Amino acid sequence: MDRRRLVIDTDPGVDDAVAILLAFASPEVEVVALTAVAGNVGLDKTALNARRLADLVTEDVIVAAGCAEPLSEPVTEESVVHGRDGLGDLEWSEPRTPLDPRHATEVIYEAALEGPLTLVAIGPLTNLAVALERHPDLETLVERVVIMGGASFEGNVTPAAEFNIWVDPEAARRVFAASWPITLMPLDLTHQAYLVDEDLAEMRSWSTTVGERCAGMLEPYAAFHDEWYGNRDVIMHDAMCVYELVSPGAISLQGVRLAVEVTGEHARGATFIDRRRVHADSVQRVGVHVDNDIFRRFLLDRLRQLDAP
Ligand code: RIB
Ligand code: CA
């Protein structure tokens, strides 16, 4: 079986971590590189966290740092949702995985030149937009872009905007305007997918490093969800992008037209997902529905097989 080559552009981030571990646990895909972008926390921390996650599962994945600031006017201080360090504030030893000296945009472009490539974008879209700017042929080289971002109805940072798009709506505009095929996983889909306390307990029962780290990272994330949403169901936003690639068909998709509001007192970062008619021929699709019980079992069965080298 030909494994789909991935570059995962990420702002780890606890749910990023689960998405990344699912990718490493899945024989259908090969993680060529993790490219870090500023988002949940600053670039120094997201790059360090990407190295920590690479250490958990393999010795030889490229980790590169990308953009520290959005193209749009910066609007956000570091999020506390994922802990001060962005990964649930656990103790970590010094990472073994080195930081590649190249900028993330160059790693993305060179990976695209080397063969068929899928981009998985689970943070603000700054790195992808800058990569397009520096290498305009990138949009013709990349097979597919799967993005966690946006919302059809209600945001999570403002009533209008989801975090990844809100941080850099100008980057999102440029990414949506490119000709590459996009599958967007917005909040109305991702809120259907969540882990519950019994899943965290199952992770601890594995007595593996990956299980212990996952349960540890998810604990403060569950506390945040309890405070905000009144229950400890931890939403697996970013994992939906990887789930789509390793279990095709598990998420129902629909052809749409995508647009984003770049500026606006109330509407900055709002995404407009046009479903008003059948866009069967569109290269832009949106995730619509996922069965959470099937997803949870799939995820846990895959993560259980992972352990640190
Ligand atoms: O709105 C959810 C998104 O914002 C996820 O990618 C999460 O990691 C945060 O970056
Ligand atoms: Ca993320």
Side-chain angles (χ1 to χ4, degrees):
M1 161 182 55
D2 279 351
R3 302 177 71 189
R4 178 187 290 270
R5 295 173 70 244
L6 308 184
V7 168
I8 301 178
D9 195 71
T10 176
D11 63 335
V14 172
D15 64 318
D16 302 68
V18 176
I20 290 166
L21 293 172
L22 175 59
F24 279 119
S26 298
E28 298 83 1
V29 298
E30 174 200 353
V31 181
V32 171
L34 300 177
T35 53
V37 66
N40 286 314
V41 287
L43 179 66
D44 54 337
K45 293 177 183 175
T46 59
L48 173 60
N49 291 338
R51 294 168 65 199
R52 286 168 168 169
L53 294 168
D55 280 358
L56 271 186
V57 286
T58 177
E59 305 281 339
D60 59 358
V61 67
I62 296 165
V63 176
C67 299
E69 295 294 338
L71 297 180
S72 303
E73 185 61 32
V75 283
T76 177
E77 63 284 340
E78 289 194 342
S79 157
V80 293
V81 169
H82 300 261
R84 285 182 310 284
D85 73 351
L87 222 46
D89 291 330
L90 304 181
E91 289 298 317
W92 295 81
S93 51
E94 200 50 33
R96 295 187 314 277
T97 303
L99 192 64
D100 191 291
R102 293 171 292 170
H103 190 279
T105 54
E106 300 319 301
V107 168
I108 290 169
Y109 186 58
E110 289 169 30
L113 290 172
E114 287 159 5
L117 183 69
T118 295
L119 293 182
V120 178
I122 53 178
L125 295 170
T126 317
N127 285 346
L128 269 67
V130 173
L132 279 171
E133 194 176 278
R134 291 176 178 174
H135 303 288
D137 59 335
L138 181 65
E139 65 181 287
T140 62
L141 294 172
V142 167
E143 269 190 326
R144 187 176 180 192
V145 186
V146 188
I147 299 169
M148 191 280 133
S152 301
F153 309 107
E154 185 182 5
N156 57 3
V157 182
T158 70
E162 176 279 327
F163 180 81
N164 288 338
I165 307 299
W166 181 76
V167 167
D168 199 347
E170 176 53 36
R173 186 187 64 77
R174 299 186 192 190
V175 167
F176 289 178
S179 61
W180 50 21
I182 289 176
T183 304
L184 184 76
M185 301 300 182
L187 292 179
D188 29 294
L189 172 84
T190 62
H191 274 252
Q192 298 172 42
Y194 51 88
L195 298 181
V196 297
D197 278 335
E198 70 184 74
D199 300 326
L200 277 59
E202 181 177 333
M203 289 174 171
R204 293 189 191 94
S205 73
W206 300 336
S207 302
T208 63
T209 305
V210 167
E212 177 269 330
R213 295 276 96 178
C214 270
M217 286 187 279
L218 286 167
E219 187 49 47
Y221 196 50
F224 159 76
H225 282 72
D226 204 6
E227 185 192 329
W228 263 61
Y229 300 113
N231 61 63
R232 287 172 47 87
D233 299 346
V234 278
I235 302 167
M236 293 284 98
H237 301 285
D238 294 337
M240 289 294 98
C241 294
V242 175
Y243 190 44
E244 159 61 14
L245 296 170
V246 301
S247 184
I251 298 171
S252 60
L253 304 175
Q254 178 181 347
V256 293
R257 292 278 191 276
L258 299 175
V260 56
E261 189 68 68
V262 176
T263 58
E265 185 186 355
H266 301 290
R268 171 196 166 113
T271 47
F272 298 90
I273 301 173
D274 185 353
R275 313 158 180 256
R276 288 170 300 157
R277 54 179 285 262
V278 172
H279 292 289
D281 59 341
S282 172
V283 291
Q284 297 185 333
R285 294 182 295 172
V286 70
V288 178
H289 176 73
V290 64
D291 180 304
N292 192 41
D293 290 337
I294 295 173
F295 163 67
R296 287 167 56 208
R297 195 66 263 148
F298 183 95
L299 174 69
L300 292 169
D301 289 348
R302 290 263 166 126
L303 294 186
R304 186 186 20 235
Q305 299 159 34
L306 268 183
D307 203 5

